[in-house]
Amino acid sequence: MIENIKEKIGRIRKYYAENKIMPTYEEICLLFGFKSKNAAFKLVNKLVDDGFIEKMDKGRLKPGANFLGLPLFSSVQAGPPTDEEEILLDRVDLNDYLIKKPENTVLINVRGDSMIDAGIHEATK
């Protein structure tokens, strides 16, 4: 069983990325080898307290504020490496800074090159 909470969050993030949905309590038991749902409930409650997961109606789970954002660390000295330890200050979702109206925003794959002069290039993988 994985003891590190960071690793547990990593596994849940991976599950979410692969399935586009948060795991159920039963699936959390399978992910971590828990024998009972009680262990899954305890883990979920810890992750809710830490802001990684939120509970919806009927016990469903959704990503919390800290689940998808990128880590924001304290400042570090530029130049050669130092022994200074990085301190996690927060998690930042770049969408909050890049997308002013998420309700009016979509992503589109582009084919062709008629808009290349505007900086719109054909999607590549």
Side-chain angles (χ1 to χ4, degrees), residues 52-114:
F52 288 101
I53 292 178
E54 293 179 18
K55 290 183 182 180
M56 297 181 3
D57 60 339
K58 298 182 183 178
R60 294 188 180 135
L61 304 175
K62 71 176 186 174
N66 294 332
F67 188 76
L68 297 174
L70 299 172
L72 172 65
F73 290 100
S74 60
S75 62
V76 293
Q77 182 65 40
T82 65
D83 290 336
E84 184 178 345
E85 194 172 317
E86 296 175 340
I87 300 169
L88 179 64
L89 298 176
D90 200 359
R91 295 192 75 81
V92 176
D93 185 346
L94 294 181
N95 289 325
D96 293 342
Y97 295 92
L98 299 174
I99 301 174
K100 293 181 182 177
K101 295 184 179 179
E103 67 278 4
N104 296 335
T105 304
V106 297
L107 297 174
I108 300 171
N109 284 317
V110 174
R111 289 186 312 275
D113 60 3
S114 67

Side-chain angles (χ1 to χ4, degrees), residues 4 7 9 15 30 34-35 39 52 71 84 92 104 119 122:
N4 187 335
E7 290 179 39
I9 293 166
Y15 180 96
L30 293 173
F34 296 152
K35 302 266 187 255
F52 288 101
E84 184 178 345
V92 176
N104 296 335
E122 186 163 338

Side-chain angles (χ1 to χ4, degrees), residues 23-55:
T24 63
Y25 287 94
E26 282 183 32
E27 291 164 333
I28 289 173
C29 287
L30 293 173
L31 273 175
F32 300 109
F34 296 152
K35 302 266 187 255
S36 73
K37 281 189 187 176
N38 189 40
F41 281 106
K42 286 181 181 180
L43 174 60
V44 166
N45 287 334
K46 167 76 174 130
L47 296 176
V48 167
D49 290 344
D50 292 346
F52 288 101
I53 292 178
E54 293 179 18
K55 290 183 182 180

